[in-house]
Amino acid sequence: MTTPASAPDHESTAAPVEPHRVLVLNSGSSSVKYQLLDMRDRSRLASGLVERIGEETSRLVHTPLTGGGEPRERTGRMADHDAALKAAAEELTADGLGLDSPELAAIGHRVVHGGLRFTAPTVITDEVLKEIERLVPVAPLHNPANITGIRTAQALRPDLPQVAVFDTAFHTTMPEAAARYAIDVETADAHRIRRYGFHGTSHAYVSRKTAELLGKAPEDVNVIVLHLGNGASASAVAGGRCVETSMGLTPLEGLVMGTRSGDIDPAVTFHLKRVAGMSADEIDVLLNKRSGLVGLCGDNDMREIRRRIDEGDEQAALAFDIYIHRLKKYIGAYAAVLGRVDAVAFTAGVGENSAPVREAAIAGLEEFGLAVDAGLNAVRSGEPRLISPEYARVAVAVVPTDEELEIADQTFALVAPDAVRVDN
C-alpha cells in the first residue's frame, strides 16, 4: 500500500535529540567500573562493575539508578575487556539506555597518567593514544588497562567522542620547586622522573566543593585536601590551583596507605637488595602490596583496625599512630607551603567515614587554628559538612568525593560547551 502524500512523516518532523548523556569508564587491569549520567541535571541513570575479567569467575553487577530498579548480577567467564564492555552495554540496553542511543554525547575515560603534556581533558585521537602509550613506563600498572578500555569503547562506538580525563592533570600547576626531585637533571629529563601526583579528579572536585561549602569562589580559598582511602594522598590547593601534592612519580610516595609504605628512605631499596638479596620486583611488591597498614598490623580496613584498638591490640594501635603521625606532618607542611589555610577537607572512604581518624589528625593542631567539634564529627552524612566549631580560625570539612561526576563534567564541558545544564 502506498502512503498518501498528506500523511505526516513522524521521523522527519520529530525534533532532533540533543545528546546529553555521558558514560564514564574506569578500566583497571581486571575490572571495569562504569556510570551513565544525564548531564542536564547531573543525575545518575545507571552504574556497574565488572570484575575478575579473564577469569572463570568473572562477575558483573549492574544497578539501574532510576525507576526503583534492583541490581542485576551475571557471572561466568568474560575473556577480556571487549567482552566485559559488551556485557555492560547489554545491561544498559535492557534499561533503555543503550550505547547506540542518540542521547549519548561522549564516553569519558579515567586515565591515570598524562605526564606533562595533558593538563586538561582531551578528546582522544590516534596521536593522543600514542602519547598515553609512551607514558606506560611511568604508569605500568594503570595506563595499559586504561588504553584497553579506550580501544574497546572506540570499537563499540567509533562515531562518538572519547575523552581522556587524567589523574595527573590537576597537579600540573605545581611549581618546578615542588615537582622536581633533587637528582641529576639530564637523567631526570631523559626518563621523565619528576613528581606528577595522582587522585587529581578527586582533589579538583573536593577543593572546589570546599570553597562552595564556605560560600566563596575557589580562587579565594586555600585548601588542604586529604584523600584518604586504601590509596591516600594530600594536596595543597591555593586559589583553585594545586601547588603541592604527596604522591610523586608513582602513587607510592607520601602518606601511609592501606598496602603502600608512602615516604621511605630510598636507600632502604638498596639495603634490601644487598642484605636480603631481594630483586627489584620483590621490593616493588613489598612496598606497594605488603606495606602500609597491612604491613604494620595485617589489616588495611580502618574499621577493623579501630575494632582491634578498642580490644587493646597494641600492634593495631601502633599502625594507627604511624598513620596519623604522617597525616599531621603533611598538614603542617602544607600549611607552611600555603601560608594561609582556609580549610582542611577530608574525603574518600576513610576520610569520609572514620571520625576517629579525623579527630586524631587534627588533635594538637589548635595553634594552627584547627579544631574538631566532637558532636559534629560523630554525625554520619553523605553531604558536604563542616565539623569544626564556630570559633575555629580554619574550617575542617568532610566533603564526599565524586570522581565519576568530575570526569563526566569535564567530558561534557569539552564536547558540549554550550549545553544548558541545571545543577542538582
Side-chain angles (χ1 to χ4, degrees):
M1 179 182 292
T2 304
T3 303
S6 59
D9 184 349
H10 294 289
E11 289 189 6
S12 63
T13 58
V17 175
E18 283 292 333
H20 55 266
R21 294 175 184 166
V22 171
L23 178 65
V24 175
L25 291 181
N26 182 351
S27 299
S29 57
S30 62
S31 67
V32 174
K33 296 178 184 177
Y34 62 90
Q35 285 196 13
L36 182 67
L37 297 94
D38 185 328
M39 301 312 296
R40 293 173 299 186
D41 58 3
R42 302 162 88 223
S43 61
R44 285 167 172 77
L45 302 175
S47 69
L49 167 66
V50 188
E51 55 188 350
R52 300 192 289 272
I53 296 171
E55 300 180 22
E56 296 300 327
T57 55
S58 302
R59 175 173 174 262
L60 184 156
V61 178
H62 174 88
T63 305
L65 298 175
T66 58
E70 293 295 319
R72 302 191 296 271
E73 181 175 330
R74 64 162 81 176
T75 56
R77 178 175 172 78
M78 297 181 202
D80 50 28
H81 284 68
D82 181 65
L85 275 180
K86 284 179 178 175
E90 289 170 5
E91 296 296 335
L92 289 166
T93 298
D95 295 329
L97 303 169
L99 297 193
D100 59 350
S101 170
E103 296 175 272
L104 189 60
I107 298 177
H109 297 265
R110 180 200 180 210
V111 178
V112 167
H113 216 307
L116 291 180
R117 175 172 171 180
F118 299 114
T119 62
T122 304
V123 173
I124 298 169
T125 63
D126 289 343
E127 181 55 38
V128 168
L129 201 51
K130 288 177 183 176
E131 182 62 21
I132 295 172
E133 289 175 332
R134 281 194 284 268
L135 288 163
V136 165
V138 290
L141 299 178
H142 299 95
N143 274 30
N146 302 152
I147 291 165
T148 299
I150 290 168
R151 291 195 187 282
T152 302
Q154 286 178 326
L156 287 174
R157 280 297 305 268
D159 60 311
L160 203 65
Q162 310 271 338
V163 176
V165 178
F166 298 91
D167 266 14
T168 50
F170 183 65
H171 304 303
T172 57
T173 56
M174 283 193 296
E176 284 293 278
R180 284 274 185 181
Y181 290 112
I183 66 172
D184 173 67
V185 172
E186 289 186 6
T187 301
D189 288 348
H191 301 287
R192 306 189 188 208
I193 299 172
R194 60 185 291 120
R195 304 185 64 249
Y196 294 98
F198 300 90
H199 295 148
T201 52
S202 178
H203 286 281
Y205 179 86
V206 171
S207 59
R208 194 171 62 249
K209 279 290 181 181
T210 302
E212 183 180 306
L213 186 63
L214 299 180
K216 298 181 179 180
E219 55 266 27
D220 297 328
V221 176
N222 288 358
V223 187
I224 297 172
V225 177
L226 303 173
H227 177 109
L228 308 179
N230 190 52
S233 60
S235 67
V237 183
R241 293 167 59 85
C242 177
V243 295
E244 176 63 283
T245 194
S246 59
M247 287 179 168
L249 173 71
T250 76
L252 180 61
E253 186 180 353
L255 303 175
V256 174
M257 304 175 224
T259 66
R260 297 183 191 128
S261 65
D263 292 340
I264 191 169
D265 182 346
V268 168
T269 60
F270 315 144
H271 181 76
L272 289 172
K273 180 175 175 60
R274 292 168 182 155
V275 176
M278 294 177 69
S279 68
D281 287 343
E282 288 172 329
I283 296 170
D284 192 324
V285 170
L286 171 69
L287 297 181
N288 279 288
K289 301 290 182 62
R290 293 170 42 215
S291 295
L293 292 171
V294 79
L296 290 167
C297 72
D299 272 309
N300 62 338
D301 186 324
M302 188 58 71
R303 294 165 297 187
E304 181 64 15
I305 291 171
R306 290 302 310 178
R307 184 193 65 76
R308 287 172 54 184
I309 292 171
D310 292 341
E311 293 178 354
D313 188 315
E314 294 184 1
Q315 199 67 30
L318 177 60
F320 184 82
D321 288 346
I322 293 170
Y323 182 93
I324 295 299
H325 180 79
R326 189 77 57 84
L327 265 179
K328 285 181 183 286
K329 282 177 64 175
Y330 270 89
I331 293 171
Y334 286 3
V337 168
L338 289 170
R340 186 197 83 241
V341 180
D342 299 299
V344 174
F346 289 87
T347 193
V350 174
E352 294 170 28
N353 296 300
S354 180
V357 165
R358 297 190 297 260
E359 179 183 10
I362 299 301
L365 300 180
E366 290 79 13
E367 291 298 318
F368 287 82
L370 290 157
V372 166
D373 180 284
L376 294 174
N377 190 36
V379 172
R380 295 186 67 87
S381 171
E383 297 298 318
R385 60 200 184 277
L386 295 176
I387 60 171
S388 47
E390 290 187 6
Y391 65 78
R393 188 172 75 251
V394 179
V396 180
V398 180
V399 181
T401 192
D402 198 332
E403 293 174 89
E404 289 79 14
L405 179 57
E406 181 70 14
I407 291 170
D409 272 340
Q410 292 191 28
T411 296
F412 196 62
L414 185 63
V415 302
D418 300 321
V420 176
R421 191 189 72 191
V422 179
D423 289 345
N424 57 5

